[in-house]
Amino acid sequence: MSHLDFFSDDKLLFLRYLIKENQIKNSDGLGRTAIMKLIFLLQEGKGLPVGYDFRLYSYGPYDSEVLQDLEFLRNFGFLTEETVHEERYQWKKYYPSESKSEIDENSSLLNGNKGEIDNLIEKYGNKKSRELELFATTLFVMKEKRGCDTDADSIKKIVSEIKPKYNEVEINQAYSTMRAEFSAVCN
Amino acid sequence: MKKYEIRDPIHGFITFNELERDIINHPAFQRLRRIKQLSLTNMVYPGAQHTRFEHSLGVMHLASRMFDNIVLREGEYLKNELNYNDGGLQRVRELLRLAALLHDIGHAPFSHPAEELMPIKNENNRYDHEDYSAAIIKYIFNDVIDNHPCNCNYNFKAEDIADFFSGKIPKESKDLLWKDLISSQLDADRADYLLRDSYYIGANYGIFDLNRLLVTITIRHSEIKEGYVLGFERGGFHSAEALIIARLMMFTQVYFHKTRRAYDIHIREVLKELYKQETGEECFPEPTSKENIEKYLSWDDWKVNGLIQKGEGGEHAKRILERNHYRKFDETEEIASEEEVEAIYRLHKHLQENDIISEIDESKKSWYKPESEEIILFDKKTGKEKLLNDASHIVKELCEKTGRVRLYIDEKDREKAEELKKEI
């Protein structure tokens, strides 16, 4: 391992690229929940070998390593953060650092997958984290129940039990969107 | 149901029922008596002789204390928001206790250093001890759990408990919420190991106010995380802060202690050599069948120590026997700069090119690395929520001190290594 690997780990480059592309396409930073869910959609929906190990929680598919990597990149100055104040809480948005925005796009993970990442960012990068959370949980359930003879209504029922704060219309919409976007992995 | 109790230095008496007793007495659980909690940390702190066995009992005990406190104060919320009834809460309490009891059942000899012998799971990941825990519950404990007379009221299966670790959707989807009690930043696992490890090593770094923590732990829907989470009431701010400080102190003083980490390197190499020698394989068998799991369970600290005592295990085993470990040659600051990291890797490469044994250790790769904290404080009166990191400057500052990189060498090479260092 050379010193370059310390900062040029495939996952770290992928994270930086994701955040940079979102800023280019949507002129905005990305929050932690949105980043977590976008990575899940890319890894488990599009089959990108990012290498996180997502497990299901009541707040959806989650791997704490994503947050560690974000903090690592921020500590070393590759990302900057901005606090956003909402009425009842605050959250952080991540941006690429201006002084360290150059990314080696020839890494094995980025090379050949940039199209998929760009495409997903274009479609989902500007969605609210609340919506992305429902998308990711729905995809998780669809994938796990694949081949189990589980019909659409049963999948929506499970999603509704995990996410009781979402209404029927939202769950139907999320199911249709995920079904259309990731049909290859859900059948 | 008959109750039993066992004395514990951290929690006083730990009580358990007949089903739990039969799990505890099972040979696969008794194996945990032969896996030390902190691997070879006893080479630095001689008192660190405790095992995964007593820790597992402690986690079961603490998980249900946390659960009981939440139900006591948030029972109405759980019934109204998540449709739990009294029977459902009793069922999930027992499920949680068993998951907590069995959470470490999948550890390999000497715990985390052995995880490098775990086979590849998918493109970029290895199996980890939680995958083995899930498989052991499914293949070995299914008979004890599924057919136990005390389980007739609950009627859950071993697989329901395994789902807590495998990350799958549980039979009762809403039970996902309780997973936070054994797998999150403020879980019973962490609370027990900090107190227990501190006690056995003879230091006070890991001490925090457990009783205050227990009466301020709560459950709410979080807009930050978009789901139901365990968090603290505002009044628990300082106990939550103390828990994080305790964890960071334990990380810097114990888990990432320079000599302890050197022994992690040695025991990892010993395990690789012994496992290859005894089985002809590079990795443990995959956790995908009963036969594989039985082979895996035949390995524990005693077996490895027995082989080391017989003179097996090569040069690294000899180093352990003679306490002749690799020594720290260089390290970055706790908050390393990019330049420091580059310099240490350049030195590492230069030493290797000149046939000097050189090992790099990064705190970000340590199992016990302090994670980016997502503990949430809830203010019930205003309905507001805040991340502990945003509320506490101390925690925010401390959490950044996790980027250290160290370089180890064989002490006999120090003079030559110093010369080579001057060259760059």
Side-chain angles (χ1 to χ4, degrees), chain A residues 3 32 49 55-59 68 74 76 88 92 100 163, chain B residues 124 165 179-180 183 223 226 228 336 338 345 369 372 385 390 400:
Chain A
H3 68 277
R32 287 175 169 201
R55 297 184 187 208
L56 188 64
Y57 288 79
S58 59
Y59 33 88
Q68 288 159 31
R74 193 186 62 80
F76 281 100
R88 289 190 296 183
K92 298 260 181 358
K100 291 182 180 177
K163 312 296 303 177
Chain B
N124 284 318
F165 308 106
K179 200 166 154 179
D180 269 8
S183 180
E223 289 185 67
E226 298 293 355
Y228 290 94
E338 194 178 345
Y345 272 95
K369 59 196 171 290
S372 175
E385 56 180 293
D390 294 328
E400 290 181 357

PDB file of all heavy atoms in Angstrom, chain A residues 3 32 49 55-59 68 74 76 88 92 100 163, chain B residues 124 165 179-180 183 223 226 228 336 338 345 369 372 385 390 400:
ATOM      1  N   HIS A   3       1.289   5.587   0.119  1.00  0.00           N
ATOM      2  CA  HIS A   3       0.587   6.654   0.848  1.00  0.00           C
ATOM      3  C   HIS A   3      -0.613   7.150   0.067  1.00  0.00           C
ATOM      4  O   HIS A   3      -1.579   7.632   0.619  1.00  0.00           O
ATOM      5  CB  HIS A   3       1.544   7.805   1.148  1.00  0.00           C
ATOM      6  CG  HIS A   3       1.988   8.562  -0.051  1.00  0.00           C
ATOM      7  ND1 HIS A   3       3.019   8.138  -0.845  1.00  0.00           N
ATOM      8  CD2 HIS A   3       1.522   9.705  -0.593  1.00  0.00           C
ATOM      9  CE1 HIS A   3       3.181   9.007  -1.828  1.00  0.00           C
ATOM     10  NE2 HIS A   3       2.291   9.959  -1.706  1.00  0.00           N
ATOM     11  N   ARG A  32     -26.163  14.003   4.904  1.00  0.00           N
ATOM     12  CA  ARG A  32     -25.725  12.644   5.218  1.00  0.00           C
ATOM     13  C   ARG A  32     -26.751  11.592   4.811  1.00  0.00           C
ATOM     14  O   ARG A  32     -26.406  10.555   4.237  1.00  0.00           O
ATOM     15  CB  ARG A  32     -25.512  12.503   6.726  1.00  0.00           C
ATOM     16  CG  ARG A  32     -24.300  13.178   7.245  1.00  0.00           C
ATOM     17  CD  ARG A  32     -24.300  13.066   8.750  1.00  0.00           C
ATOM     18  NE  ARG A  32     -23.030  13.469   9.315  1.00  0.00           N
ATOM     19  CZ  ARG A  32     -22.621  13.113  10.517  1.00  0.00           C
ATOM     20  NH1 ARG A  32     -23.372  12.371  11.290  1.00  0.00           N
ATOM     21  NH2 ARG A  32     -21.454  13.508  10.974  1.00  0.00           N
ATOM     22  N   PRO A  49     -20.026  -1.846  -7.499  1.00  0.00           N
ATOM     23  CA  PRO A  49     -19.338  -2.528  -6.377  1.00  0.00           C
ATOM     24  C   PRO A  49     -18.662  -1.543  -5.430  1.00  0.00           C
ATOM     25  O   PRO A  49     -17.447  -1.512  -5.311  1.00  0.00           O
ATOM     26  CB  PRO A  49     -18.317  -3.409  -7.107  1.00  0.00           C
ATOM     27  CG  PRO A  49     -18.024  -2.673  -8.367  1.00  0.00           C
ATOM     28  CD  PRO A  49     -19.267  -1.915  -8.756  1.00  0.00           C
ATOM     29  N   ARG A  55     -27.216  -2.615   6.223  1.00  0.00           N
ATOM     30  CA  ARG A  55     -28.155  -3.450   6.992  1.00  0.00           C
ATOM     31  C   ARG A  55     -29.387  -2.585   7.293  1.00  0.00           C
ATOM     32  O   ARG A  55     -29.279  -1.366   7.373  1.00  0.00           O
ATOM     33  CB  ARG A  55     -27.491  -3.952   8.265  1.00  0.00           C
ATOM     34  CG  ARG A  55     -26.313  -4.842   7.879  1.00  0.00           C
ATOM     35  CD  ARG A  55     -25.588  -5.503   9.000  1.00  0.00           C
ATOM     36  NE  ARG A  55     -24.406  -6.165   8.429  1.00  0.00           N
ATOM     37  CZ  ARG A  55     -23.815  -7.228   8.917  1.00  0.00           C
ATOM     38  NH1 ARG A  55     -24.267  -7.793  10.008  1.00  0.00           N
ATOM     39  NH2 ARG A  55     -22.761  -7.753   8.326  1.00  0.00           N
ATOM     40  N   LEU A  56     -30.511  -3.259   7.452  1.00  0.00           N
ATOM     41  CA  LEU A  56     -31.759  -2.501   7.606  1.00  0.00           C
ATOM     42  C   LEU A  56     -32.010  -2.086   9.057  1.00  0.00           C
ATOM     43  O   LEU A  56     -31.915  -2.906   9.972  1.00  0.00           O
ATOM     44  CB  LEU A  56     -32.940  -3.334   7.091  1.00  0.00           C
ATOM     45  CG  LEU A  56     -34.268  -2.592   7.010  1.00  0.00           C
ATOM     46  CD1 LEU A  56     -34.217  -1.454   6.000  1.00  0.00           C
ATOM     47  CD2 LEU A  56     -35.402  -3.543   6.658  1.00  0.00           C
ATOM     48  N   TYR A  57     -32.326  -0.823   9.245  1.00  0.00           N
ATOM     49  CA  TYR A  57     -32.729  -0.272  10.546  1.00  0.00           C
ATOM     50  C   TYR A  57     -34.086   0.387  10.362  1.00  0.00           C
ATOM     51  O   TYR A  57     -34.606   0.459   9.235  1.00  0.00           O
ATOM     52  CB  TYR A  57     -31.709   0.773  11.027  1.00  0.00           C
ATOM     53  CG  TYR A  57     -30.391   0.181  11.477  1.00  0.00           C
ATOM     54  CD1 TYR A  57     -29.428  -0.202  10.551  1.00  0.00           C
ATOM     55  CD2 TYR A  57     -30.122  -0.015  12.828  1.00  0.00           C
ATOM     56  CE1 TYR A  57     -28.219  -0.760  10.960  1.00  0.00           C
ATOM     57  CE2 TYR A  57     -28.917  -0.573  13.247  1.00  0.00           C
ATOM     58  CZ  TYR A  57     -27.978  -0.938  12.310  1.00  0.00           C
ATOM     59  OH  TYR A  57     -26.789  -1.492  12.716  1.00  0.00           O
ATOM     60  N   SER A  58     -34.648   0.895  11.472  1.00  0.00           N
ATOM     61  CA  SER A  58     -35.950   1.555  11.327  1.00  0.00           C
ATOM     62  C   SER A  58     -35.801   2.862  10.531  1.00  0.00           C
ATOM     63  O   SER A  58     -36.768   3.411  10.042  1.00  0.00           O
ATOM     64  CB  SER A  58     -36.582   1.830  12.692  1.00  0.00           C
ATOM     65  OG  SER A  58     -35.737   2.631  13.449  1.00  0.00           O
ATOM     66  N   TYR A  59     -34.550   3.340  10.396  1.00  0.00           N
ATOM     67  CA  TYR A  59     -34.306   4.512   9.554  1.00  0.00           C
ATOM     68  C   TYR A  59     -33.727   4.092   8.209  1.00  0.00           C
ATOM     69  O   TYR A  59     -32.988   4.855   7.571  1.00  0.00           O
ATOM     70  CB  TYR A  59     -33.401   5.528  10.259  1.00  0.00           C
ATOM     71  CG  TYR A  59     -32.366   4.924  11.185  1.00  0.00           C
ATOM     72  CD1 TYR A  59     -31.126   4.541  10.714  1.00  0.00           C
ATOM     73  CD2 TYR A  59     -32.667   4.696  12.528  1.00  0.00           C
ATOM     74  CE1 TYR A  59     -30.186   3.978  11.561  1.00  0.00           C
ATOM     75  CE2 TYR A  59     -31.738   4.123  13.374  1.00  0.00           C
ATOM     76  CZ  TYR A  59     -30.498   3.769  12.892  1.00  0.00           C
ATOM     77  OH  TYR A  59     -29.571   3.182  13.727  1.00  0.00           O
ATOM     78  N   GLN A  68     -18.318   7.556   8.666  1.00  0.00           N
ATOM     79  CA  GLN A  68     -16.891   7.630   9.028  1.00  0.00           C
ATOM     80  C   GLN A  68     -16.075   8.159   7.851  1.00  0.00           C
ATOM     81  O   GLN A  68     -15.181   8.982   8.020  1.00  0.00           O
ATOM     82  CB  GLN A  68     -16.364   6.253   9.409  1.00  0.00           C
ATOM     83  CG  GLN A  68     -16.862   5.764  10.747  1.00  0.00           C
ATOM     84  CD  GLN A  68     -16.748   4.261  10.851  1.00  0.00           C
ATOM     85  OE1 GLN A  68     -15.862   3.654  10.261  1.00  0.00           O
ATOM     86  NE2 GLN A  68     -17.640   3.650  11.593  1.00  0.00           N
ATOM     87  N   ARG A  74     -13.732  15.066   5.443  1.00  0.00           N
ATOM     88  CA  ARG A  74     -13.862  16.436   5.934  1.00  0.00           C
ATOM     89  C   ARG A  74     -12.650  16.815   6.795  1.00  0.00           C
ATOM     90  O   ARG A  74     -12.088  17.891   6.662  1.00  0.00           O
ATOM     91  CB  ARG A  74     -15.144  16.584   6.748  1.00  0.00           C
ATOM     92  CG  ARG A  74     -15.522  18.029   7.037  1.00  0.00           C
ATOM     93  CD  ARG A  74     -16.705  18.121   7.967  1.00  0.00           C
ATOM     94  NE  ARG A  74     -16.427  17.521   9.267  1.00  0.00           N
ATOM     95  CZ  ARG A  74     -15.751  18.119  10.241  1.00  0.00           C
ATOM     96  NH1 ARG A  74     -15.278  19.338  10.087  1.00  0.00           N
ATOM     97  NH2 ARG A  74     -15.529  17.506  11.384  1.00  0.00           N
ATOM     98  N   PHE A  76      -9.673  15.778   6.570  1.00  0.00           N
ATOM     99  CA  PHE A  76      -8.482  15.996   5.748  1.00  0.00           C
ATOM    100  C   PHE A  76      -8.690  17.071   4.678  1.00  0.00           C
ATOM    101  O   PHE A  76      -7.873  17.214   3.771  1.00  0.00           O
ATOM    102  CB  PHE A  76      -8.020  14.681   5.115  1.00  0.00           C
ATOM    103  CG  PHE A  76      -7.245  13.824   6.086  1.00  0.00           C
ATOM    104  CD1 PHE A  76      -7.846  12.771   6.731  1.00  0.00           C
ATOM    105  CD2 PHE A  76      -5.913  14.106   6.368  1.00  0.00           C
ATOM    106  CE1 PHE A  76      -7.139  11.992   7.640  1.00  0.00           C
ATOM    107  CE2 PHE A  76      -5.194  13.348   7.275  1.00  0.00           C
ATOM    108  CZ  PHE A  76      -5.809  12.281   7.917  1.00  0.00           C
ATOM    109  N   ARG A  88     -37.209  22.629  13.446  1.00  0.00           N
ATOM    110  CA  ARG A  88     -37.057  21.820  14.655  1.00  0.00           C
ATOM    111  C   ARG A  88     -35.736  21.062  14.762  1.00  0.00           C
ATOM    112  O   ARG A  88     -35.511  20.312  15.693  1.00  0.00           O
ATOM    113  CB  ARG A  88     -38.216  20.820  14.746  1.00  0.00           C
ATOM    114  CG  ARG A  88     -39.531  21.505  15.070  1.00  0.00           C
ATOM    115  CD  ARG A  88     -40.597  20.527  15.391  1.00  0.00           C
ATOM    116  NE  ARG A  88     -40.915  19.684  14.245  1.00  0.00           N
ATOM    117  CZ  ARG A  88     -41.867  18.767  14.244  1.00  0.00           C
ATOM    118  NH1 ARG A  88     -42.560  18.538  15.346  1.00  0.00           N
ATOM    119  NH2 ARG A  88     -42.123  18.061  13.171  1.00  0.00           N
ATOM    120  N   LYS A  92     -26.347  18.826   8.277  1.00  0.00           N
ATOM    121  CA  LYS A  92     -25.138  19.279   7.577  1.00  0.00           C
ATOM    122  C   LYS A  92     -25.189  18.918   6.096  1.00  0.00           C
ATOM    123  O   LYS A  92     -25.599  17.826   5.727  1.00  0.00           O
ATOM    124  CB  LYS A  92     -23.912  18.601   8.186  1.00  0.00           C
ATOM    125  CG  LYS A  92     -23.682  18.921   9.646  1.00  0.00           C
ATOM    126  CD  LYS A  92     -22.625  19.972   9.763  1.00  0.00           C
ATOM    127  CE  LYS A  92     -22.269  20.389  11.162  1.00  0.00           C
ATOM    128  NZ  LYS A  92     -22.922  19.848  12.276  1.00  0.00           N
ATOM    129  N   LYS A 100      -9.250  21.184  -2.919  1.00  0.00           N
ATOM    130  CA  LYS A 100      -8.934  19.784  -3.217  1.00  0.00           C
ATOM    131  C   LYS A 100     -10.051  19.155  -4.044  1.00  0.00           C
ATOM    132  O   LYS A 100     -10.611  18.114  -3.664  1.00  0.00           O
ATOM    133  CB  LYS A 100      -8.749  19.008  -1.917  1.00  0.00           C
ATOM    134  CG  LYS A 100      -7.515  19.392  -1.130  1.00  0.00           C
ATOM    135  CD  LYS A 100      -7.375  18.548   0.110  1.00  0.00           C
ATOM    136  CE  LYS A 100      -6.132  18.944   0.892  1.00  0.00           C
ATOM    137  NZ  LYS A 100      -5.981  18.198   2.140  1.00  0.00           N
ATOM    138  N   LYS A 163     -42.016   2.039   7.943  1.00  0.00           N
ATOM    139  CA  LYS A 163     -42.056   3.499   7.835  1.00  0.00           C
ATOM    140  C   LYS A 163     -43.493   4.020   8.037  1.00  0.00           C
ATOM    141  O   LYS A 163     -44.132   4.490   7.074  1.00  0.00           O
ATOM    142  CB  LYS A 163     -41.568   3.960   6.455  1.00  0.00           C
ATOM    143  CG  LYS A 163     -40.267   3.347   5.946  1.00  0.00           C
ATOM    144  CD  LYS A 163     -39.049   3.657   6.754  1.00  0.00           C
ATOM    145  CE  LYS A 163     -38.740   5.084   6.933  1.00  0.00           C
ATOM    146  NZ  LYS A 163     -37.558   5.284   7.820  1.00  0.00           N
TER     147      LYS A 163
ATOM    148  N   ASN B 124     -16.480  -6.464  -2.441  1.00  0.00           N
ATOM    149  CA  ASN B 124     -15.520  -5.676  -1.671  1.00  0.00           C
ATOM    150  C   ASN B 124     -15.554  -5.930  -0.171  1.00  0.00           C
ATOM    151  O   ASN B 124     -14.900  -5.223   0.585  1.00  0.00           O
ATOM    152  CB  ASN B 124     -15.780  -4.175  -1.901  1.00  0.00           C
ATOM    153  CG  ASN B 124     -15.282  -3.727  -3.246  1.00  0.00           C
ATOM    154  OD1 ASN B 124     -14.206  -4.108  -3.664  1.00  0.00           O
ATOM    155  ND2 ASN B 124     -16.080  -2.950  -3.928  1.00  0.00           N
ATOM    156  N   PHE B 165     -28.928  -9.580  13.406  1.00  0.00           N
ATOM    157  CA  PHE B 165     -27.526  -9.375  12.998  1.00  0.00           C
ATOM    158  C   PHE B 165     -27.351  -9.362  11.492  1.00  0.00           C
ATOM    159  O   PHE B 165     -26.457  -8.713  10.983  1.00  0.00           O
ATOM    160  CB  PHE B 165     -26.631 -10.472  13.581  1.00  0.00           C
ATOM    161  CG  PHE B 165     -26.805 -10.624  15.047  1.00  0.00           C
ATOM    162  CD1 PHE B 165     -27.491 -11.695  15.568  1.00  0.00           C
ATOM    163  CD2 PHE B 165     -26.320  -9.657  15.907  1.00  0.00           C
ATOM    164  CE1 PHE B 165     -27.685 -11.820  16.928  1.00  0.00           C
ATOM    165  CE2 PHE B 165     -26.504  -9.764  17.261  1.00  0.00           C
ATOM    166  CZ  PHE B 165     -27.194 -10.849  17.775  1.00  0.00           C
ATOM    167  N   LYS B 179     -33.228  -2.821  17.400  1.00  0.00           N
ATOM    168  CA  LYS B 179     -31.881  -3.176  16.968  1.00  0.00           C
ATOM    169  C   LYS B 179     -30.861  -2.146  17.465  1.00  0.00           C
ATOM    170  O   LYS B 179     -29.717  -2.477  17.746  1.00  0.00           O
ATOM    171  CB  LYS B 179     -31.886  -3.202  15.439  1.00  0.00           C
ATOM    172  CG  LYS B 179     -30.792  -3.962  14.805  1.00  0.00           C
ATOM    173  CD  LYS B 179     -31.171  -4.149  13.355  1.00  0.00           C
ATOM    174  CE  LYS B 179     -29.969  -4.322  12.497  1.00  0.00           C
ATOM    175  NZ  LYS B 179     -30.338  -4.522  11.099  1.00  0.00           N
ATOM    176  N   ASP B 180     -31.307  -0.888  17.578  1.00  0.00           N
ATOM    177  CA  ASP B 180     -30.424   0.166  18.075  1.00  0.00           C
ATOM    178  C   ASP B 180     -29.871  -0.153  19.469  1.00  0.00           C
ATOM    179  O   ASP B 180     -28.816   0.343  19.840  1.00  0.00           O
ATOM    180  CB  ASP B 180     -31.191   1.504  18.159  1.00  0.00           C
ATOM    181  CG  ASP B 180     -31.075   2.307  16.873  1.00  0.00           C
ATOM    182  OD1 ASP B 180     -30.544   1.763  15.887  1.00  0.00           O
ATOM    183  OD2 ASP B 180     -31.508   3.465  16.857  1.00  0.00           O
ATOM    184  N   SER B 183     -26.967  -2.449  18.516  1.00  0.00           N
ATOM    185  CA  SER B 183     -26.117  -2.118  17.379  1.00  0.00           C
ATOM    186  C   SER B 183     -26.257  -0.651  16.985  1.00  0.00           C
ATOM    187  O   SER B 183     -26.806  -0.318  15.956  1.00  0.00           O
ATOM    188  CB  SER B 183     -26.502  -3.016  16.195  1.00  0.00           C
ATOM    189  OG  SER B 183     -25.716  -2.735  15.079  1.00  0.00           O
ATOM    190  N   GLU B 223     -36.537  13.477  12.602  1.00  0.00           N
ATOM    191  CA  GLU B 223     -36.545  14.044  11.249  1.00  0.00           C
ATOM    192  C   GLU B 223     -35.132  14.068  10.678  1.00  0.00           C
ATOM    193  O   GLU B 223     -34.950  14.069   9.470  1.00  0.00           O
ATOM    194  CB  GLU B 223     -37.143  15.460  11.276  1.00  0.00           C
ATOM    195  CG  GLU B 223     -38.645  15.434  11.533  1.00  0.00           C
ATOM    196  CD  GLU B 223     -39.258  16.815  11.444  1.00  0.00           C
ATOM    197  OE1 GLU B 223     -39.276  17.392  10.344  1.00  0.00           O
ATOM    198  OE2 GLU B 223     -39.710  17.321  12.491  1.00  0.00           O
ATOM    199  N   GLU B 226     -34.926  10.369   9.673  1.00  0.00           N
ATOM    200  CA  GLU B 226     -36.113   9.892   8.946  1.00  0.00           C
ATOM    201  C   GLU B 226     -36.550   8.504   9.417  1.00  0.00           C
ATOM    202  O   GLU B 226     -36.750   7.597   8.620  1.00  0.00           O
ATOM    203  CB  GLU B 226     -35.863   9.881   7.425  1.00  0.00           C
ATOM    204  CG  GLU B 226     -35.575  11.241   6.815  1.00  0.00           C
ATOM    205  CD  GLU B 226     -36.774  12.191   6.858  1.00  0.00           C
ATOM    206  OE1 GLU B 226     -37.858  11.767   7.266  1.00  0.00           O
ATOM    207  OE2 GLU B 226     -36.586  13.361   6.500  1.00  0.00           O
ATOM    208  N   TYR B 228     -37.698   6.025  13.387  1.00  0.00           N
ATOM    209  CA  TYR B 228     -37.714   5.963  14.843  1.00  0.00           C
ATOM    210  C   TYR B 228     -36.314   5.616  15.335  1.00  0.00           C
ATOM    211  O   TYR B 228     -35.678   4.703  14.800  1.00  0.00           O
ATOM    212  CB  TYR B 228     -38.712   4.911  15.322  1.00  0.00           C
ATOM    213  CG  TYR B 228     -40.133   5.335  15.085  1.00  0.00           C
ATOM    214  CD1 TYR B 228     -40.804   4.956  13.923  1.00  0.00           C
ATOM    215  CD2 TYR B 228     -40.791   6.149  15.996  1.00  0.00           C
ATOM    216  CE1 TYR B 228     -42.105   5.371  13.681  1.00  0.00           C
ATOM    217  CE2 TYR B 228     -42.097   6.575  15.766  1.00  0.00           C
ATOM    218  CZ  TYR B 228     -42.735   6.182  14.607  1.00  0.00           C
ATOM    219  OH  TYR B 228     -44.016   6.599  14.367  1.00  0.00           O
ATOM    220  N   ALA B 336      -3.994  13.969  11.937  1.00  0.00           N
ATOM    221  CA  ALA B 336      -2.860  13.996  11.009  1.00  0.00           C
ATOM    222  C   ALA B 336      -3.140  14.939   9.855  1.00  0.00           C
ATOM    223  O   ALA B 336      -4.269  15.056   9.405  1.00  0.00           O
ATOM    224  CB  ALA B 336      -2.620  12.593  10.483  1.00  0.00           C
ATOM    225  N   GLU B 338      -2.351  15.914   5.807  1.00  0.00           N
ATOM    226  CA  GLU B 338      -2.103  15.122   4.603  1.00  0.00           C
ATOM    227  C   GLU B 338      -0.590  14.937   4.403  1.00  0.00           C
ATOM    228  O   GLU B 338      -0.133  13.853   4.036  1.00  0.00           O
ATOM    229  CB  GLU B 338      -2.724  15.849   3.407  1.00  0.00           C
ATOM    230  CG  GLU B 338      -2.831  14.983   2.188  1.00  0.00           C
ATOM    231  CD  GLU B 338      -3.498  15.715   1.026  1.00  0.00           C
ATOM    232  OE1 GLU B 338      -4.117  16.762   1.252  1.00  0.00           O
ATOM    233  OE2 GLU B 338      -3.368  15.224  -0.099  1.00  0.00           O
ATOM    234  N   TYR B 345       4.049   7.291   4.964  1.00  0.00           N
ATOM    235  CA  TYR B 345       3.964   6.231   3.946  1.00  0.00           C
ATOM    236  C   TYR B 345       5.227   6.193   3.087  1.00  0.00           C
ATOM    237  O   TYR B 345       5.677   5.131   2.659  1.00  0.00           O
ATOM    238  CB  TYR B 345       2.711   6.408   3.072  1.00  0.00           C
ATOM    239  CG  TYR B 345       1.512   5.706   3.675  1.00  0.00           C
ATOM    240  CD1 TYR B 345       0.622   6.390   4.474  1.00  0.00           C
ATOM    241  CD2 TYR B 345       1.305   4.347   3.466  1.00  0.00           C
ATOM    242  CE1 TYR B 345      -0.461   5.750   5.048  1.00  0.00           C
ATOM    243  CE2 TYR B 345       0.234   3.697   4.027  1.00  0.00           C
ATOM    244  CZ  TYR B 345      -0.654   4.395   4.823  1.00  0.00           C
ATOM    245  OH  TYR B 345      -1.713   3.756   5.387  1.00  0.00           O
ATOM    246  N   LYS B 369     -12.553   2.061  16.373  1.00  0.00           N
ATOM    247  CA  LYS B 369     -12.408   3.466  15.993  1.00  0.00           C
ATOM    248  C   LYS B 369     -13.651   4.247  16.406  1.00  0.00           C
ATOM    249  O   LYS B 369     -14.773   3.759  16.259  1.00  0.00           O
ATOM    250  CB  LYS B 369     -12.203   3.607  14.486  1.00  0.00           C
ATOM    251  CG  LYS B 369     -13.345   3.034  13.674  1.00  0.00           C
ATOM    252  CD  LYS B 369     -12.971   2.840  12.236  1.00  0.00           C
ATOM    253  CE  LYS B 369     -14.011   2.072  11.454  1.00  0.00           C
ATOM    254  NZ  LYS B 369     -14.157   0.668  11.772  1.00  0.00           N
ATOM    255  N   SER B 372     -18.313   8.438  13.555  1.00  0.00           N
ATOM    256  CA  SER B 372     -18.972   9.712  13.484  1.00  0.00           C
ATOM    257  C   SER B 372     -20.281   9.573  14.270  1.00  0.00           C
ATOM    258  O   SER B 372     -21.106   8.734  13.949  1.00  0.00           O
ATOM    259  CB  SER B 372     -19.255  10.030  12.034  1.00  0.00           C
ATOM    260  OG  SER B 372     -19.994  11.192  11.957  1.00  0.00           O
ATOM    261  N   GLU B 385     -35.023  18.520  17.940  1.00  0.00           N
ATOM    262  CA  GLU B 385     -33.998  17.489  18.090  1.00  0.00           C
ATOM    263  C   GLU B 385     -32.660  18.035  17.616  1.00  0.00           C
ATOM    264  O   GLU B 385     -32.607  18.933  16.777  1.00  0.00           O
ATOM    265  CB  GLU B 385     -34.357  16.225  17.305  1.00  0.00           C
ATOM    266  CG  GLU B 385     -34.598  16.459  15.831  1.00  0.00           C
ATOM    267  CD  GLU B 385     -34.955  15.174  15.089  1.00  0.00           C
ATOM    268  OE1 GLU B 385     -34.097  14.295  14.982  1.00  0.00           O
ATOM    269  OE2 GLU B 385     -36.106  15.079  14.599  1.00  0.00           O
ATOM    270  N   ASP B 390     -23.520  18.477  17.445  1.00  0.00           N
ATOM    271  CA  ASP B 390     -23.832  19.889  17.260  1.00  0.00           C
ATOM    272  C   ASP B 390     -24.084  20.575  18.595  1.00  0.00           C
ATOM    273  O   ASP B 390     -23.920  21.788  18.719  1.00  0.00           O
ATOM    274  CB  ASP B 390     -25.064  20.050  16.360  1.00  0.00           C
ATOM    275  CG  ASP B 390     -24.784  19.562  14.948  1.00  0.00           C
ATOM    276  OD1 ASP B 390     -23.630  19.688  14.513  1.00  0.00           O
ATOM    277  OD2 ASP B 390     -25.704  19.046  14.301  1.00  0.00           O
ATOM    278  N   GLU B 400     -12.854  14.419  16.154  1.00  0.00           N
ATOM    279  CA  GLU B 400     -11.971  14.652  15.013  1.00  0.00           C
ATOM    280  C   GLU B 400     -10.595  14.039  15.213  1.00  0.00           C
ATOM    281  O   GLU B 400      -9.821  13.904  14.277  1.00  0.00           O
ATOM    282  CB  GLU B 400     -11.851  16.159  14.769  1.00  0.00           C
ATOM    283  CG  GLU B 400     -13.161  16.729  14.244  1.00  0.00           C
ATOM    284  CD  GLU B 400     -13.079  18.210  13.978  1.00  0.00           C
ATOM    285  OE1 GLU B 400     -12.034  18.805  14.254  1.00  0.00           O
ATOM    286  OE2 GLU B 400     -14.072  18.766  13.500  1.00  0.00           O
TER     287      GLU B 400
END
